[in-house]
Amino acid sequence: MKNGVRALGVAESYRGDADRGRQSTLAGAIVRADRVCDGLAYGSCRVGGTDGTDAVIDLIDGLDRPDARYVLLGAVAPAWYNLLALSRIRAAIERPVIAVTFEASDGLEAGLRDAFSGPELEARLATYRALPDRRELSVGDETVYVRQVGLEAAEADDVVRAFTPDGGRPEPIRVAKMAARAADSYARSFE
């Protein structure tokens, strides 16, 4: 991949108890394939809410960076099960979307059933079940778990590997996570 190709990583930070309704900090980081960060943006979504998809779309739209060819998400259920609809994000931003997570899991259904009931549960289950299948990907000595929309699995694998220098975390997601934590920490210092 050419050094100047850019990807936008999106990650979130929320510290404290799962205080539903509280805001979680979202950060977006545009990173080139040669590991240079050349843009940051911030947003928020509600902890335990259902506004995560719209918040991610708004963050990406607000950046107004069509040169970021790929979007890499560091979660599909940020902010305590505020599930992201990857296909909706892809349709809104007209770019491939790749969700990369870092832990083996039996899935989210059991956790969703423990945390929600009634219409709140059904809405989240529908969003969760609409996600593309999650699959393992070896990146160096690490294993990550990938879902993609808007590109084939082999291309998604190439993108993840191209943006992952070492440590198993794609650089756009790693930088976005650091930015989200810093912004969240700063905001909480005023509470």
Side-chain angles (χ1 to χ4, degrees), residues 1-180:
M1 185 165 299
K2 293 183 180 178
N3 284 342
V5 173
R6 289 166 174 80
L8 168 61
V10 178
E12 66 99 24
S13 178
Y14 172 72
R15 295 182 188 171
D17 297 329
D19 186 8
R20 292 181 66 183
R22 190 167 184 171
Q23 294 296 306
S24 180
T25 302
L26 295 174
I30 296 176
V31 177
R32 297 186 332 207
D34 64 0
R35 317 297 186 254
V36 173
C37 177
D38 73 356
L40 290 172
Y42 294 94
S44 64
C45 63
R46 286 181 297 117
V47 173
T50 57
D51 62 337
T53 298
D54 291 331
V56 167
I57 292 168
D58 290 347
L59 185 145
I60 295 167
D61 284 346
L63 268 167
D64 193 26
R65 291 288 301 268
D67 58 330
R69 290 183 29 195
Y70 307 98
V71 172
L72 283 75
L73 304 172
V76 295
W80 198 66
Y81 299 119
N82 196 330
L83 287 156
L84 302 179
L86 302 187
S87 294
R88 238 183 84 213
I89 295 169
R90 160 73 170 118
I93 65 169
E94 298 178 337
R95 281 174 262 188
V97 176
I98 305 167
V100 183
T101 54
F102 308 101
E103 296 176 15
S105 166
D106 291 330
L108 299 177
E109 283 204 33
L112 288 168
R113 290 182 188 286
D114 287 344
F116 302 96
S117 62
E120 284 188 318
L121 172 63
E122 293 310 315
R124 283 170 177 79
L125 286 174
T127 301
Y128 177 64
R129 290 175 179 156
L131 290 171
D133 290 337
R134 182 178 192 237
R135 56 191 180 73
E136 285 188 15
L137 173 65
S138 293
V139 180
D141 294 335
E142 303 288 331
T143 298
V144 298
Y145 302 88
V146 176
R147 302 172 196 262
Q148 80 276 340
V149 291
L151 71 171
E152 297 297 321
E155 185 180 357
D157 295 353
D158 289 344
V159 170
V160 171
R161 287 183 177 126
F163 282 94
T164 307
D166 52 48
R169 299 217 183 242
E171 196 69 358
I173 294 172
R174 189 187 73 77
V175 172
K177 185 69 172 180
M178 285 189 333

